[in-house]
Amino acid sequence: MANMEFNVEGNAQNFQTDLSAGTHEITIDEPENLGGNNQGMDPLSALLSSLAGCENAVANFVAKEMDFDLQGISFQVNGNIDSEGMMGNPDVRPYFQTVSVKAKVRTSESDERVQELQEKVDARCPVFTTLHAAGVEMNADWSKA
């Protein structure tokens, strides 16, 4: 497995965007108080959801490599953004200032092994590393459930 390509297609009307990737579909929208119809998750929450999903996928790959007893992970992901940036203020960056990932790992492994898993996952997760490379302050806290 070397170079991988991902494709998403969709149509948008007003704030709602209906997208597909292969046979899977998702609707991205804004809440009513921001002008949308609340027909789907807002784009920033979708990005944070992608982070949790990507961390989980990479954790499963890494766990197999480490012979790590990974029984499951519960995620809580929070992001902070100054909305002035996306509203046009050129002095404020229009993306997340900080993102925090709290993960509770269901496992029989030691706390040290959980930390080793986290370090490897954070270093290899494409979504985590993309946010980090953009200068987003990434705070990760993984512990045993």
Side-chain angles (χ1 to χ4, degrees):
M1 198 173 4
N3 191 17
M4 298 173 65
E5 183 175 315
F6 296 85
N7 298 295
V8 177
E9 297 179 3
N11 293 299
Q13 184 169 347
N14 297 320
F15 287 92
Q16 182 174 325
T17 309
D18 297 307
L19 301 153
S20 64
T23 60
H24 303 284
E25 297 180 355
I26 186 172
T27 296
I28 304 290
D29 199 0
E30 291 289 345
E32 291 176 4
N33 67 332
L34 292 178
N37 292 316
N38 202 33
Q39 295 298 305
M41 194 179 298
D42 67 86
L44 296 174
S45 295
L47 178 60
L48 296 179
S49 297
S50 293
L51 173 59
C54 192
E55 291 253 297
N56 178 60
V58 173
N60 277 274
F61 297 141
V62 171
K64 287 180 183 171
E65 293 169 8
M66 292 174 57
D67 194 27
F68 185 99
D69 174 34
L70 181 59
Q71 300 166 13
I73 308 174
S74 298
F75 288 97
Q76 181 180 9
V77 183
N78 300 326
N80 293 311
I81 190 169
D82 185 337
S83 63
E84 291 293 318
M86 71 179 166
M87 299 311 278
N89 184 339
D91 297 325
V92 179
R93 68 185 202 189
Y95 54 94
F96 285 110
Q97 309 295 315
T98 62
V99 171
S100 298
V101 178
K102 290 187 179 183
K104 297 290 186 186
V105 181
R106 293 185 301 282
T107 185
S108 63
E109 301 281 353
S110 68
D111 291 334
E112 292 78 16
R113 290 268 289 166
V114 170
Q115 293 311 304
E116 180 184 358
L117 177 68
Q118 175 200 330
E119 289 170 11
K120 290 181 178 190
V121 169
D122 289 347
R124 292 172 52 179
C125 173
V127 178
F128 188 99
T129 56
T130 297
L131 290 168
H132 186 263
V136 177
E137 179 184 326
M138 300 297 292
N139 301 306
D141 177 22
W142 288 38
S143 60
K144 287 180 69 167

